[in-house]
């Protein structure tokens, strides 16, 4: 169940150019949250009324804490990047459906994250107690969070500029390393997810993708996140879905990329 809560920033640091990591202390939201869900942070500036959706990077249920790792991409995230320990921030959450983690139990799993889709895979890597290959895609040598993943599985890196690991994207790394799995969980930019969907279909691998890149308000209000699906939505009877309400995680088979 989602709630709006006034939370306290516990710490914040810049971990790469334009990328921030914030731990937030919550009373309720951290206890309810699941891997692959997100929260919406409210700006203090009344002229920007819509909150900003940001995915969960880590969930500390016992400690009542959440970690978000996000890229500064506009006025809202710029404002959040100035928050310091002790500051208050209003949060709505947990939002979205999260990854079906039970599908991966006891199986060989690939976790794939591209760009700002890397952070949500960290909580997945922590929670999945099985054979894991973690494939992370970055623009350049700013490999934020890479070291933290190493505690949870074998990590492979692809960079667009070829400065570290495989030159190209996560699929180029999979092909170069000859990796395979029973289940894929992925989060990243749309072209990457489209390619992963095709790859999984070709190889007959079960695949779950998080389409959070397309979200704007995160609360079902703006319709910026509508995407096409194979099945009809049972409320509206059209082949559309709102990613923030019905996702952000979908079985790749269900998603129709434009
Ligand atoms: Fe605004 Fe989904 S992000 S309706």
């Amino acid at each position: 169940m989602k709630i709006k809560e006034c939370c306290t920033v516990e710490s914040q640091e810049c971990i790469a150019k334009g990328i921030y990591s914030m731990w937030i202390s919550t009373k309720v939201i951290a206890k309810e949250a699941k891997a692959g869900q997100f929260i919406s942070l409210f700006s203090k500036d009344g002229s920007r009324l819509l909150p900003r959706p940001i995915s969960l990077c880590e969930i500390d249920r016992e400690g009542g804490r959440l970690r978000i790792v996000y890229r500064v991409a506009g006025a809202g995230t710029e404002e959040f990047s100035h928050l310091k320990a002790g500051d208050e921030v209003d949060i709505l959450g947990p939002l979205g459906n999260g990854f079906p983690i039970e599908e991966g139990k006891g199986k060989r799993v690939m976790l794939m994250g591209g760009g700002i889709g890397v952070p949500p895979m960290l909580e997945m890597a922590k929670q999945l107690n099985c054979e894991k290959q973690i494939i992370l895609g970055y623009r350049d040598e700013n490999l934020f969070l890479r070291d933290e993943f190493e505690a949870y599985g074998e990590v492979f890196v692809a960079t667009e500029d070829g400065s570290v690991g495989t030159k190209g994207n996560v699929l180029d790394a999979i092909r170069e390393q000859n990796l395979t799995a029973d289940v894929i969980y992925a989060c990243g930019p749309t072209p990457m997810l489209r390619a992963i969907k095709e790859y999984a279909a070709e190889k007959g691998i079960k695949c779950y993708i998080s389409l959070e890149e397309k979200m704007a308000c995160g609360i079902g209000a703006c319709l910026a996140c509508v995407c096409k699906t194979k099945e009809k939505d049972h409320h509206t009877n059209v082949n559309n879905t709102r990613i923030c309400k019905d996702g952000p995680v979908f079985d790749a088979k269900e998603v129709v990329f434009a």
Side-chain angles (χ1 to χ4, degrees), residues 53 214-226 242-245:
K214 284 190 65 175
M215 286 194 293
C217 74
I219 52 170
C222 72
L223 302 185
C225 66
V226 168
R242 276 178 299 176
I243 292 170
C244 66
K245 281 282 178 191

Side-chain angles (χ1 to χ4, degrees), residues 32-180:
E32 304 280 325
K34 294 192 302 192
Q37 287 190 303
F38 63 96
I39 53 177
S40 273
L41 274 72
F42 288 79
S43 163
K44 294 262 185 279
D45 178 348
S47 66
R48 289 191 296 270
L49 287 176
L50 289 177
R52 304 302 311 158
I54 299 180
S55 63
L56 298 175
C57 172
E58 286 191 77
I59 302 163
D60 171 11
R61 262 188 209 121
E62 288 75 50
R65 303 183 314 147
L66 294 171
R67 183 188 188 189
I68 53 173
V69 170
Y70 61 98
R71 192 194 301 278
V72 171
T77 42
E78 165 73 30
E79 180 189 316
F80 304 144
S81 74
H82 297 296
L83 290 170
K84 297 181 300 296
D87 288 347
E88 287 184 343
V89 60
D90 284 333
I91 287 176
L92 182 72
L95 298 168
N97 55 356
F99 282 108
I101 213 159
E102 61 295 342
E103 293 282 333
K105 295 232 165 96
K107 309 223 175 88
R108 282 176 314 163
V109 164
M110 266 186 208
L111 299 177
M112 298 189 204
I116 208 62
V118 166
M121 304 323 287
L122 186 59
E123 183 61 29
M124 288 295 285
K126 278 170 65 180
Q127 288 192 19
L128 270 166
N129 190 7
C130 62
E131 189 185 326
K132 279 166 283 189
Q133 291 167 329
I134 300 160
I135 305 106
L136 306 176
Y138 298 93
R139 288 180 187 160
D140 50 34
E141 76 282 350
N142 277 316
L143 310 180
F144 56 90
L145 300 177
R146 196 263 303 258
D147 296 351
E148 297 185 45
F149 277 94
E150 266 158 10
Y152 306 110
E154 204 176 351
V155 179
F156 301 88
V157 168
T159 50
E160 282 170 28
D161 67 0
S163 52
V164 186
T166 303
K167 182 170 173 30
N169 60 25
V170 290
L171 280 174
D172 295 314
I174 287 169
R175 294 201 177 97
E176 189 175 278
Q177 302 289 334
N178 232 344
L179 306 178
T180 187

Side-chain angles (χ1 to χ4, degrees), residues 188-208:
T190 306
M192 169 186 141
L193 297 180
R194 183 192 291 121
I196 292 172
K197 171 189 159 87
E198 283 165 16
Y199 168 81
E202 181 192 311
K203 302 279 182 195
I205 302 174
K206 190 85 185 150
C207 178
Y208 295 95

